[in-house]
Amino acid sequence: MTSTEQLSSAATWWSQAHADDHLLVAYFSMEFGVDVRLPIYSGGLGILAGDHLKAAAELGLPLVGVGLLYRGGYFTQGLSDEGRQTETYTPIDPQSLGLHREPVTVHVDLAGETVTAAVWRYDVGVGPTSTVPLYLLDVDLLTDALYSGDREHRIRQELLLGVGGVRALAALGLEPTVFHVNEGHSAFLAIERARILVGHGMSGDDALEHIRRSTVFTTHTPVPAGNEVFDDVLVLRYVGGLAADAGISGETLLALGRTPDTDGFGMTPLALRLSAYANAVSALHGEVAREMWAGLWPSQEPRIGHVTNGVHLGTWIAPELGELLRSAGVRPEAPPAEGGWDAVHELDSETFWQTHMLLKERLARLSGLGAGPLTIGFARRFATYKRAGLVFSDLERLLALPVQIVVAGKAHPQDVPGKDVMQRIVELSRDPAVAGQVVFLENYNIELAQAIIPGCDIWLNTPRKPYEASGTSGMKAAVNGVPNLSVLDGWWAEAYDPSVGWALAGSSDEADAAELYRLLEDEVVPRFADRGAWVELMQTSIARLAPAFSMQRAVIEYTERYYLPAALARAGR
Ligand SMILES: *Cc1c(COP(=O)(O)O)cnc(C)c1O
């Protein structure tokens, strides 16, 4: 290989578009879904963070991830005889998963007790492209499990991530120019950064202003349980000393986390107050978030923008379909370009359908259902706002249709109402009268999602509007040519038009259910019977939605709208 060839094969979007820019992004998240064997994610938030790192690696973006290594991981889901979720935690063995122990340790004070964390590195990379390091802090006892439920345990984990994460990067000799706080969990990192600046002689106010200018914050949900709140007493006990070292009084600290209309210390208000760049994850969520947090800036326009989420196409487009797309000259690994996916329409309709049938057959082997019938997929976390029971609300009418349904998803270990909904669906799927048409697949994770989604014909999402801030499984379906039938919430409110699927208004349960059945009976089932029209729908879904909802598009937006301006604002000081 000549040196020019080496250069061109190594050229990335970053090296071509931004070679002269100085940037290092530190991306902090409580969860990362990068590999099914590393269960340190519970659902959409973690997988999004994993996809962010993968897309950054492909783009050549200078970015590192920072998270926690939960020794017990997230649970493996089983089902009891009563159809109730069972939870098993299997210890993670970092070495066997290709994690490397870094030669540094980090100390963090937790209410008078000093804990020492080891730091592991996991290289996130896709094929021969550049990689992004993910640093995971590990304190045997503290990082036992993701979401154990105890508030004190939780604030200790969040301090370890925020404060320990900043110290780990320094110990590794890294000097990030921008910190991205992915959901409020890691927002204590700002207090630690202030402490360092004040230690170098800066005033407390100047330090906070400096930190604001180099911090990007992404809020992910309007659901109250997703916006974490701690008791003031707990915050003062755990963070008071650190804040004092940063020149921040106890009173000022509590004011930074005050929420407009509830008691306690909110991690979302803290993150919003300490970041100059804040965003929601879809256009509609942007509107909701601005309204939700308007009370934080009574005399000002709330400055929350939006970057609509995306999915990492290399992870989520089924390999067989990816091959077929490449044969038409489409490159899922390249940054999305105008018209870059139009060639999907030139693919021979019969070959295209045969590829989809392969994926349907694979799912059929897994589910025990047939490969032929119209298959509806519904898989996501069982949170009650997702209304998993809606499609089953008139069972007789549903079962009269020539369709079958594949359901999967975990409920949060503490979410009793979510577990109840799940149990009812599992019981239903075990009823002999229904069994041939409804199946529940256990232990939804990255691998199962990769098997289910491309093998379906319709992807269903029926959240209570406006609680689905974005939703990403629908994007994974769309990029595999699986049309969505969903409530006009989150990403679908932006993506929907009749050429790529069907829409529900998102009003009352009764109205949405009635419209759902009408669409299935009058539109979806008849259209599915017309193979040519259906393939056209599938191809349009891919050609229009893959470039628009690719994670590379989202990461490029973050870079150009937030990371680079934040790095410049900091340098300009
Ligand atoms: C994509 C994904 C999710 C998130 O799905 P939503 O539709 O956004 O709720 C959750 N779990 C797994 C395993 C996924 O792959």
mmCIF file with all atom_site columns, all heavy atoms in Angstrom, residues 140-164:
data_model
loop_
_atom_site.group_PDB
_atom_site.id
_atom_site.type_symbol
_atom_site.label_atom_id
_atom_site.label_alt_id
_atom_site.label_comp_id
_atom_site.label_asym_id
_atom_site.label_entity_id
_atom_site.label_seq_id
_atom_site.pdbx_PDB_ins_code
_atom_site.Cartn_x
_atom_site.Cartn_y
_atom_site.Cartn_z
_atom_site.occupancy
_atom_site.B_iso_or_equiv
_atom_site.pdbx_formal_charge
_atom_site.auth_seq_id
_atom_site.auth_comp_id
_atom_site.auth_asym_id
_atom_site.auth_atom_id
_atom_site.pdbx_PDB_model_num
ATOM 1   N N   . ASP A 1 140 ? -15.719 -2.158 43.145 1.00 0.00 ? 140 ASP A N   1
ATOM 2   C CA  . ASP A 1 140 ? -16.452 -3.404 43.339 1.00 0.00 ? 140 ASP A CA  1
ATOM 3   C C   . ASP A 1 140 ? -17.830 -3.242 43.977 1.00 0.00 ? 140 ASP A C   1
ATOM 4   O O   . ASP A 1 140 ? -18.836 -3.665 43.433 1.00 0.00 ? 140 ASP A O   1
ATOM 5   C CB  . ASP A 1 140 ? -15.633 -4.369 44.196 1.00 0.00 ? 140 ASP A CB  1
ATOM 6   C CG  . ASP A 1 140 ? -14.773 -5.242 43.299 1.00 0.00 ? 140 ASP A CG  1
ATOM 7   O OD1 . ASP A 1 140 ? -15.055 -5.234 42.083 1.00 0.00 ? 140 ASP A OD1 1
ATOM 8   O OD2 . ASP A 1 140 ? -13.846 -5.891 43.793 1.00 0.00 ? 140 ASP A OD2 1
ATOM 9   N N   . LEU A 1 141 ? -17.860 -2.598 45.158 1.00 0.00 ? 141 LEU A N   1
ATOM 10  C CA  . LEU A 1 141 ? -19.121 -2.591 45.891 1.00 0.00 ? 141 LEU A CA  1
ATOM 11  C C   . LEU A 1 141 ? -20.108 -1.580 45.354 1.00 0.00 ? 141 LEU A C   1
ATOM 12  O O   . LEU A 1 141 ? -21.304 -1.785 45.379 1.00 0.00 ? 141 LEU A O   1
ATOM 13  C CB  . LEU A 1 141 ? -18.840 -2.278 47.368 1.00 0.00 ? 141 LEU A CB  1
ATOM 14  C CG  . LEU A 1 141 ? -18.217 -3.453 48.085 1.00 0.00 ? 141 LEU A CG  1
ATOM 15  C CD1 . LEU A 1 141 ? -17.906 -3.084 49.521 1.00 0.00 ? 141 LEU A CD1 1
ATOM 16  C CD2 . LEU A 1 141 ? -19.169 -4.653 48.034 1.00 0.00 ? 141 LEU A CD2 1
ATOM 17  N N   . LEU A 1 142 ? -19.586 -0.492 44.817 1.00 0.00 ? 142 LEU A N   1
ATOM 18  C CA  . LEU A 1 142 ? -20.454 0.599  44.442 1.00 0.00 ? 142 LEU A CA  1
ATOM 19  C C   . LEU A 1 142 ? -21.099 0.374  43.085 1.00 0.00 ? 142 LEU A C   1
ATOM 20  O O   . LEU A 1 142 ? -22.230 0.768  42.825 1.00 0.00 ? 142 LEU A O   1
ATOM 21  C CB  . LEU A 1 142 ? -19.601 1.870  44.413 1.00 0.00 ? 142 LEU A CB  1
ATOM 22  C CG  . LEU A 1 142 ? -20.323 3.178  44.470 1.00 0.00 ? 142 LEU A CG  1
ATOM 23  C CD1 . LEU A 1 142 ? -21.285 3.204  45.628 1.00 0.00 ? 142 LEU A CD1 1
ATOM 24  C CD2 . LEU A 1 142 ? -19.299 4.287  44.620 1.00 0.00 ? 142 LEU A CD2 1
ATOM 25  N N   . THR A 1 143 ? -20.346 -0.251 42.216 1.00 0.00 ? 143 THR A N   1
ATOM 26  C CA  . THR A 1 143 ? -20.855 -0.426 40.865 1.00 0.00 ? 143 THR A CA  1
ATOM 27  C C   . THR A 1 143 ? -21.361 -1.856 40.703 1.00 0.00 ? 143 THR A C   1
ATOM 28  O O   . THR A 1 143 ? -21.124 -2.505 39.706 1.00 0.00 ? 143 THR A O   1
ATOM 29  C CB  . THR A 1 143 ? -19.775 -0.081 39.826 1.00 0.00 ? 143 THR A CB  1
ATOM 30  O OG1 . THR A 1 143 ? -18.558 -0.755 40.186 1.00 0.00 ? 143 THR A OG1 1
ATOM 31  C CG2 . THR A 1 143 ? -19.507 1.392  39.774 1.00 0.00 ? 143 THR A CG2 1
ATOM 32  N N   . ASP A 1 144 ? -22.080 -2.342 41.726 1.00 0.00 ? 144 ASP A N   1
ATOM 33  C CA  . ASP A 1 144 ? -22.575 -3.712 41.679 1.00 0.00 ? 144 ASP A CA  1
ATOM 34  C C   . ASP A 1 144 ? -23.644 -3.888 40.610 1.00 0.00 ? 144 ASP A C   1
ATOM 35  O O   . ASP A 1 144 ? -23.609 -4.824 39.834 1.00 0.00 ? 144 ASP A O   1
ATOM 36  C CB  . ASP A 1 144 ? -23.097 -4.141 43.063 1.00 0.00 ? 144 ASP A CB  1
ATOM 37  C CG  . ASP A 1 144 ? -24.021 -3.089 43.694 1.00 0.00 ? 144 ASP A CG  1
ATOM 38  O OD1 . ASP A 1 144 ? -24.151 -1.999 43.117 1.00 0.00 ? 144 ASP A OD1 1
ATOM 39  O OD2 . ASP A 1 144 ? -24.584 -3.375 44.755 1.00 0.00 ? 144 ASP A OD2 1
ATOM 40  N N   . ALA A 1 145 ? -24.608 -2.989 40.586 1.00 0.00 ? 145 ALA A N   1
ATOM 41  C CA  . ALA A 1 145 ? -25.691 -3.172 39.624 1.00 0.00 ? 145 ALA A CA  1
ATOM 42  C C   . ALA A 1 145 ? -26.216 -1.823 39.172 1.00 0.00 ? 145 ALA A C   1
ATOM 43  O O   . ALA A 1 145 ? -26.105 -0.827 39.877 1.00 0.00 ? 145 ALA A O   1
ATOM 44  C CB  . ALA A 1 145 ? -26.819 -3.988 40.248 1.00 0.00 ? 145 ALA A CB  1
ATOM 45  N N   . LEU A 1 146 ? -26.780 -1.830 37.986 1.00 0.00 ? 146 LEU A N   1
ATOM 46  C CA  . LEU A 1 146 ? -27.371 -0.625 37.420 1.00 0.00 ? 146 LEU A CA  1
ATOM 47  C C   . LEU A 1 146 ? -28.760 -0.472 38.018 1.00 0.00 ? 146 LEU A C   1
ATOM 48  O O   . LEU A 1 146 ? -29.546 -1.410 38.001 1.00 0.00 ? 146 LEU A O   1
ATOM 49  C CB  . LEU A 1 146 ? -27.435 -0.821 35.903 1.00 0.00 ? 146 LEU A CB  1
ATOM 50  C CG  . LEU A 1 146 ? -28.027 0.228  35.005 1.00 0.00 ? 146 LEU A CG  1
ATOM 51  C CD1 . LEU A 1 146 ? -27.359 1.564  35.197 1.00 0.00 ? 146 LEU A CD1 1
ATOM 52  C CD2 . LEU A 1 146 ? -27.893 -0.214 33.557 1.00 0.00 ? 146 LEU A CD2 1
ATOM 53  N N   . TYR A 1 147 ? -29.079 0.696  38.563 1.00 0.00 ? 147 TYR A N   1
ATOM 54  C CA  . TYR A 1 147 ? -30.398 0.973  39.118 1.00 0.00 ? 147 TYR A CA  1
ATOM 55  C C   . TYR A 1 147 ? -30.798 0.030  40.245 1.00 0.00 ? 147 TYR A C   1
ATOM 56  O O   . TYR A 1 147 ? -31.763 -0.710 40.130 1.00 0.00 ? 147 TYR A O   1
ATOM 57  C CB  . TYR A 1 147 ? -31.481 0.926  38.020 1.00 0.00 ? 147 TYR A CB  1
ATOM 58  C CG  . TYR A 1 147 ? -31.269 1.936  36.948 1.00 0.00 ? 147 TYR A CG  1
ATOM 59  C CD1 . TYR A 1 147 ? -31.347 1.585  35.617 1.00 0.00 ? 147 TYR A CD1 1
ATOM 60  C CD2 . TYR A 1 147 ? -30.962 3.256  37.267 1.00 0.00 ? 147 TYR A CD2 1
ATOM 61  C CE1 . TYR A 1 147 ? -31.142 2.521  34.613 1.00 0.00 ? 147 TYR A CE1 1
ATOM 62  C CE2 . TYR A 1 147 ? -30.760 4.190  36.284 1.00 0.00 ? 147 TYR A CE2 1
ATOM 63  C CZ  . TYR A 1 147 ? -30.854 3.816  34.959 1.00 0.00 ? 147 TYR A CZ  1
ATOM 64  O OH  . TYR A 1 147 ? -30.655 4.729  33.977 1.00 0.00 ? 147 TYR A OH  1
ATOM 65  N N   . SER A 1 148 ? -30.056 0.028  41.332 1.00 0.00 ? 148 SER A N   1
ATOM 66  C CA  . SER A 1 148 ? -30.442 -0.833 42.447 1.00 0.00 ? 148 SER A CA  1
ATOM 67  C C   . SER A 1 148 ? -31.649 -0.267 43.188 1.00 0.00 ? 148 SER A C   1
ATOM 68  O O   . SER A 1 148 ? -32.344 -0.994 43.874 1.00 0.00 ? 148 SER A O   1
ATOM 69  C CB  . SER A 1 148 ? -29.280 -0.977 43.422 1.00 0.00 ? 148 SER A CB  1
ATOM 70  O OG  . SER A 1 148 ? -29.164 0.189  44.190 1.00 0.00 ? 148 SER A OG  1
ATOM 71  N N   . GLY A 1 149 ? -31.897 1.040  43.042 1.00 0.00 ? 149 GLY A N   1
ATOM 72  C CA  . GLY A 1 149 ? -33.132 1.573  43.612 1.00 0.00 ? 149 GLY A CA  1
ATOM 73  C C   . GLY A 1 149 ? -32.939 2.433  44.851 1.00 0.00 ? 149 GLY A C   1
ATOM 74  O O   . GLY A 1 149 ? -33.709 3.345  45.100 1.00 0.00 ? 149 GLY A O   1
ATOM 75  N N   . ASP A 1 150 ? -31.918 2.172  45.632 1.00 0.00 ? 150 ASP A N   1
ATOM 76  C CA  . ASP A 1 150 ? -31.678 2.906  46.870 1.00 0.00 ? 150 ASP A CA  1
ATOM 77  C C   . ASP A 1 150 ? -31.115 4.293  46.535 1.00 0.00 ? 150 ASP A C   1
ATOM 78  O O   . ASP A 1 150 ? -30.156 4.425  45.775 1.00 0.00 ? 150 ASP A O   1
ATOM 79  C CB  . ASP A 1 150 ? -30.714 2.021  47.686 1.00 0.00 ? 150 ASP A CB  1
ATOM 80  C CG  . ASP A 1 150 ? -30.113 2.708  48.891 1.00 0.00 ? 150 ASP A CG  1
ATOM 81  O OD1 . ASP A 1 150 ? -29.935 3.934  48.865 1.00 0.00 ? 150 ASP A OD1 1
ATOM 82  O OD2 . ASP A 1 150 ? -29.797 1.986  49.846 1.00 0.00 ? 150 ASP A OD2 1
ATOM 83  N N   . ARG A 1 151 ? -31.711 5.358  47.106 1.00 0.00 ? 151 ARG A N   1
ATOM 84  C CA  . ARG A 1 151 ? -31.326 6.722  46.721 1.00 0.00 ? 151 ARG A CA  1
ATOM 85  C C   . ARG A 1 151 ? -29.881 7.035  47.091 1.00 0.00 ? 151 ARG A C   1
ATOM 86  O O   . ARG A 1 151 ? -29.171 7.726  46.364 1.00 0.00 ? 151 ARG A O   1
ATOM 87  C CB  . ARG A 1 151 ? -32.237 7.758  47.405 1.00 0.00 ? 151 ARG A CB  1
ATOM 88  C CG  . ARG A 1 151 ? -33.697 7.641  47.046 1.00 0.00 ? 151 ARG A CG  1
ATOM 89  C CD  . ARG A 1 151 ? -33.919 7.619  45.563 1.00 0.00 ? 151 ARG A CD  1
ATOM 90  N NE  . ARG A 1 151 ? -33.560 8.859  44.901 1.00 0.00 ? 151 ARG A NE  1
ATOM 91  C CZ  . ARG A 1 151 ? -33.179 8.935  43.618 1.00 0.00 ? 151 ARG A CZ  1
ATOM 92  N NH1 . ARG A 1 151 ? -33.096 7.856  42.874 1.00 0.00 ? 151 ARG A NH1 1
ATOM 93  N NH2 . ARG A 1 151 ? -32.882 10.096 43.087 1.00 0.00 ? 151 ARG A NH2 1
ATOM 94  N N   . GLU A 1 152 ? -29.469 6.561  48.266 1.00 0.00 ? 152 GLU A N   1
ATOM 95  C CA  . GLU A 1 152 ? -28.113 6.867  48.701 1.00 0.00 ? 152 GLU A CA  1
ATOM 96  C C   . GLU A 1 152 ? -27.089 6.174  47.801 1.00 0.00 ? 152 GLU A C   1
ATOM 97  O O   . GLU A 1 152 ? -26.082 6.758  47.397 1.00 0.00 ? 152 GLU A O   1
ATOM 98  C CB  . GLU A 1 152 ? -27.920 6.445  50.163 1.00 0.00 ? 152 GLU A CB  1
ATOM 99  C CG  . GLU A 1 152 ? -26.556 6.808  50.687 1.00 0.00 ? 152 GLU A CG  1
ATOM 100 C CD  . GLU A 1 152 ? -26.518 6.954  52.195 1.00 0.00 ? 152 GLU A CD  1
ATOM 101 O OE1 . GLU A 1 152 ? -27.579 6.826  52.844 1.00 0.00 ? 152 GLU A OE1 1
ATOM 102 O OE2 . GLU A 1 152 ? -25.415 7.184  52.721 1.00 0.00 ? 152 GLU A OE2 1
ATOM 103 N N   . HIS A 1 153 ? -27.378 4.927  47.470 1.00 0.00 ? 153 HIS A N   1
ATOM 104 C CA  . HIS A 1 153 ? -26.516 4.185  46.548 1.00 0.00 ? 153 HIS A CA  1
ATOM 105 C C   . HIS A 1 153 ? -26.399 4.945  45.222 1.00 0.00 ? 153 HIS A C   1
ATOM 106 O O   . HIS A 1 153 ? -25.341 5.056  44.620 1.00 0.00 ? 153 HIS A O   1
ATOM 107 C CB  . HIS A 1 153 ? -27.157 2.818  46.320 1.00 0.00 ? 153 HIS A CB  1
ATOM 108 C CG  . HIS A 1 153 ? -26.256 1.817  45.679 1.00 0.00 ? 153 HIS A CG  1
ATOM 109 N ND1 . HIS A 1 153 ? -25.175 1.280  46.320 1.00 0.00 ? 153 HIS A ND1 1
ATOM 110 C CD2 . HIS A 1 153 ? -26.269 1.255  44.447 1.00 0.00 ? 153 HIS A CD2 1
ATOM 111 C CE1 . HIS A 1 153 ? -24.570 0.431  45.524 1.00 0.00 ? 153 HIS A CE1 1
ATOM 112 N NE2 . HIS A 1 153 ? -25.205 0.400  44.378 1.00 0.00 ? 153 HIS A NE2 1
ATOM 113 N N   . ARG A 1 154 ? -27.538 5.479  44.801 1.00 0.00 ? 154 ARG A N   1
ATOM 114 C CA  . ARG A 1 154 ? -27.595 6.154  43.514 1.00 0.00 ? 154 ARG A CA  1
ATOM 115 C C   . ARG A 1 154 ? -26.749 7.441  43.501 1.00 0.00 ? 154 ARG A C   1
ATOM 116 O O   . ARG A 1 154 ? -26.016 7.698  42.552 1.00 0.00 ? 154 ARG A O   1
ATOM 117 C CB  . ARG A 1 154 ? -29.065 6.473  43.213 1.00 0.00 ? 154 ARG A CB  1
ATOM 118 C CG  . ARG A 1 154 ? -29.305 7.056  41.861 1.00 0.00 ? 154 ARG A CG  1
ATOM 119 C CD  . ARG A 1 154 ? -29.099 6.048  40.770 1.00 0.00 ? 154 ARG A CD  1
ATOM 120 N NE  . ARG A 1 154 ? -29.477 6.620  39.485 1.00 0.00 ? 154 ARG A NE  1
ATOM 121 C CZ  . ARG A 1 154 ? -29.212 6.085  38.316 1.00 0.00 ? 154 ARG A CZ  1
ATOM 122 N NH1 . ARG A 1 154 ? -28.585 4.939  38.246 1.00 0.00 ? 154 ARG A NH1 1
ATOM 123 N NH2 . ARG A 1 154 ? -29.580 6.667  37.214 1.00 0.00 ? 154 ARG A NH2 1
ATOM 124 N N   . ILE A 1 155 ? -26.825 8.242  44.562 1.00 0.00 ? 155 ILE A N   1
ATOM 125 C CA  . ILE A 1 155 ? -26.043 9.485  44.559 1.00 0.00 ? 155 ILE A CA  1
ATOM 126 C C   . ILE A 1 155 ? -24.557 9.142  44.638 1.00 0.00 ? 155 ILE A C   1
ATOM 127 O O   . ILE A 1 155 ? -23.712 9.820  44.032 1.00 0.00 ? 155 ILE A O   1
ATOM 128 C CB  . ILE A 1 155 ? -26.480 10.471 45.672 1.00 0.00 ? 155 ILE A CB  1
ATOM 129 C CG1 . ILE A 1 155 ? -26.006 11.889 45.326 1.00 0.00 ? 155 ILE A CG1 1
ATOM 130 C CG2 . ILE A 1 155 ? -25.959 10.064 47.043 1.00 0.00 ? 155 ILE A CG2 1
ATOM 131 C CD1 . ILE A 1 155 ? -26.573 12.985 46.228 1.00 0.00 ? 155 ILE A CD1 1
ATOM 132 N N   . ARG A 1 156 ? -24.233 8.059  45.314 1.00 0.00 ? 156 ARG A N   1
ATOM 133 C CA  . ARG A 1 156 ? -22.832 7.625  45.370 1.00 0.00 ? 156 ARG A CA  1
ATOM 134 C C   . ARG A 1 156 ? -22.347 7.221  43.971 1.00 0.00 ? 156 ARG A C   1
ATOM 135 O O   . ARG A 1 156 ? -21.251 7.590  43.552 1.00 0.00 ? 156 ARG A O   1
ATOM 136 C CB  . ARG A 1 156 ? -22.682 6.459  46.353 1.00 0.00 ? 156 ARG A CB  1
ATOM 137 C CG  . ARG A 1 156 ? -22.875 6.884  47.814 1.00 0.00 ? 156 ARG A CG  1
ATOM 138 C CD  . ARG A 1 156 ? -23.151 5.695  48.731 1.00 0.00 ? 156 ARG A CD  1
ATOM 139 N NE  . ARG A 1 156 ? -22.019 4.788  48.870 1.00 0.00 ? 156 ARG A NE  1
ATOM 140 C CZ  . ARG A 1 156 ? -21.079 4.883  49.817 1.00 0.00 ? 156 ARG A CZ  1
ATOM 141 N NH1 . ARG A 1 156 ? -21.152 5.847  50.706 1.00 0.00 ? 156 ARG A NH1 1
ATOM 142 N NH2 . ARG A 1 156 ? -20.090 4.020  49.874 1.00 0.00 ? 156 ARG A NH2 1
ATOM 143 N N   . GLN A 1 157 ? -23.196 6.502  43.243 1.00 0.00 ? 157 GLN A N   1
ATOM 144 C CA  . GLN A 1 157 ? -22.823 6.122  41.874 1.00 0.00 ? 157 GLN A CA  1
ATOM 145 C C   . GLN A 1 157 ? -22.650 7.357  40.992 1.00 0.00 ? 157 GLN A C   1
ATOM 146 O O   . GLN A 1 157 ? -21.719 7.446  40.195 1.00 0.00 ? 157 GLN A O   1
ATOM 147 C CB  . GLN A 1 157 ? -23.908 5.230  41.258 1.00 0.00 ? 157 GLN A CB  1
ATOM 148 C CG  . GLN A 1 157 ? -23.960 3.817  41.836 1.00 0.00 ? 157 GLN A CG  1
ATOM 149 C CD  . GLN A 1 157 ? -24.963 2.938  41.114 1.00 0.00 ? 157 GLN A CD  1
ATOM 150 O OE1 . GLN A 1 157 ? -25.966 3.425  40.585 1.00 0.00 ? 157 GLN A OE1 1
ATOM 151 N NE2 . GLN A 1 157 ? -24.702 1.635  41.094 1.00 0.00 ? 157 GLN A NE2 1
ATOM 152 N N   . GLU A 1 158 ? -23.550 8.324  41.157 1.00 0.00 ? 158 GLU A N   1
ATOM 153 C CA  . GLU A 1 158 ? -23.495 9.505  40.288 1.00 0.00 ? 158 GLU A CA  1
ATOM 154 C C   . GLU A 1 158 ? -22.291 10.388 40.617 1.00 0.00 ? 158 GLU A C   1
ATOM 155 O O   . GLU A 1 158 ? -21.714 11.012 39.719 1.00 0.00 ? 158 GLU A O   1
ATOM 156 C CB  . GLU A 1 158 ? -24.829 10.270 40.358 1.00 0.00 ? 158 GLU A CB  1
ATOM 157 C CG  . GLU A 1 158 ? -25.939 9.407  39.786 1.00 0.00 ? 158 GLU A CG  1
ATOM 158 C CD  . GLU A 1 158 ? -27.266 10.104 39.578 1.00 0.00 ? 158 GLU A CD  1
ATOM 159 O OE1 . GLU A 1 158 ? -27.359 11.319 39.811 1.00 0.00 ? 158 GLU A OE1 1
ATOM 160 O OE2 . GLU A 1 158 ? -28.207 9.417  39.159 1.00 0.00 ? 158 GLU A OE2 1
ATOM 161 N N   . LEU A 1 159 ? -21.916 10.416 41.886 1.00 0.00 ? 159 LEU A N   1
ATOM 162 C CA  . LEU A 1 159 ? -20.697 11.152 42.249 1.00 0.00 ? 159 LEU A CA  1
ATOM 163 C C   . LEU A 1 159 ? -19.466 10.442 41.683 1.00 0.00 ? 159 LEU A C   1
ATOM 164 O O   . LEU A 1 159 ? -18.536 11.078 41.185 1.00 0.00 ? 159 LEU A O   1
ATOM 165 C CB  . LEU A 1 159 ? -20.557 11.228 43.767 1.00 0.00 ? 159 LEU A CB  1
ATOM 166 C CG  . LEU A 1 159 ? -21.094 12.486 44.416 1.00 0.00 ? 159 LEU A CG  1
ATOM 167 C CD1 . LEU A 1 159 ? -21.072 12.337 45.921 1.00 0.00 ? 159 LEU A CD1 1
ATOM 168 C CD2 . LEU A 1 159 ? -20.266 13.709 43.996 1.00 0.00 ? 159 LEU A CD2 1
ATOM 169 N N   . LEU A 1 160 ? -19.474 9.146  41.807 1.00 0.00 ? 160 LEU A N   1
ATOM 170 C CA  . LEU A 1 160 ? -18.344 8.388  41.263 1.00 0.00 ? 160 LEU A CA  1
ATOM 171 C C   . LEU A 1 160 ? -18.198 8.669  39.761 1.00 0.00 ? 160 LEU A C   1
ATOM 172 O O   . LEU A 1 160 ? -17.100 8.935  39.268 1.00 0.00 ? 160 LEU A O   1
ATOM 173 C CB  . LEU A 1 160 ? -18.551 6.887  41.503 1.00 0.00 ? 160 LEU A CB  1
ATOM 174 C CG  . LEU A 1 160 ? -17.478 5.993  40.901 1.00 0.00 ? 160 LEU A CG  1
ATOM 175 C CD1 . LEU A 1 160 ? -16.128 6.235  41.575 1.00 0.00 ? 160 LEU A CD1 1
ATOM 176 C CD2 . LEU A 1 160 ? -17.859 4.517  41.019 1.00 0.00 ? 160 LEU A CD2 1
ATOM 177 N N   . LEU A 1 161 ? -19.327 8.635  39.043 1.00 0.00 ? 161 LEU A N   1
ATOM 178 C CA  . LEU A 1 161 ? -19.263 8.881  37.602 1.00 0.00 ? 161 LEU A CA  1
ATOM 179 C C   . LEU A 1 161 ? -18.795 10.303 37.308 1.00 0.00 ? 161 LEU A C   1
ATOM 180 O O   . LEU A 1 161 ? -17.844 10.502 36.539 1.00 0.00 ? 161 LEU A O   1
ATOM 181 C CB  . LEU A 1 161 ? -20.637 8.640  36.965 1.00 0.00 ? 161 LEU A CB  1
ATOM 182 C CG  . LEU A 1 161 ? -20.761 9.004  35.488 1.00 0.00 ? 161 LEU A CG  1
ATOM 183 C CD1 . LEU A 1 161 ? -19.800 8.171  34.632 1.00 0.00 ? 161 LEU A CD1 1
ATOM 184 C CD2 . LEU A 1 161 ? -22.186 8.814  34.984 1.00 0.00 ? 161 LEU A CD2 1
ATOM 185 N N   . GLY A 1 162 ? -19.448 11.303 37.916 1.00 0.00 ? 162 GLY A N   1
ATOM 186 C CA  . GLY A 1 162 ? -19.143 12.691 37.577 1.00 0.00 ? 162 GLY A CA  1
ATOM 187 C C   . GLY A 1 162 ? -17.766 13.113 38.062 1.00 0.00 ? 162 GLY A C   1
ATOM 188 O O   . GLY A 1 162 ? -16.929 13.585 37.274 1.00 0.00 ? 162 GLY A O   1
ATOM 189 N N   . VAL A 1 163 ? -17.522 12.927 39.356 1.00 0.00 ? 163 VAL A N   1
ATOM 190 C CA  . VAL A 1 163 ? -16.263 13.391 39.944 1.00 0.00 ? 163 VAL A CA  1
ATOM 191 C C   . VAL A 1 163 ? -15.123 12.437 39.575 1.00 0.00 ? 163 VAL A C   1
ATOM 192 O O   . VAL A 1 163 ? -14.056 12.856 39.110 1.00 0.00 ? 163 VAL A O   1
ATOM 193 C CB  . VAL A 1 163 ? -16.409 13.496 41.482 1.00 0.00 ? 163 VAL A CB  1
ATOM 194 C CG1 . VAL A 1 163 ? -15.105 13.931 42.121 1.00 0.00 ? 163 VAL A CG1 1
ATOM 195 C CG2 . VAL A 1 163 ? -17.540 14.467 41.825 1.00 0.00 ? 163 VAL A CG2 1
ATOM 196 N N   . GLY A 1 164 ? -15.353 11.135 39.772 1.00 0.00 ? 164 GLY A N   1
ATOM 197 C CA  . GLY A 1 164 ? -14.334 10.147 39.435 1.00 0.00 ? 164 GLY A CA  1
ATOM 198 C C   . GLY A 1 164 ? -13.986 10.181 37.950 1.00 0.00 ? 164 GLY A C   1
ATOM 199 O O   . GLY A 1 164 ? -12.833 10.009 37.568 1.00 0.00 ? 164 GLY A O   1
#
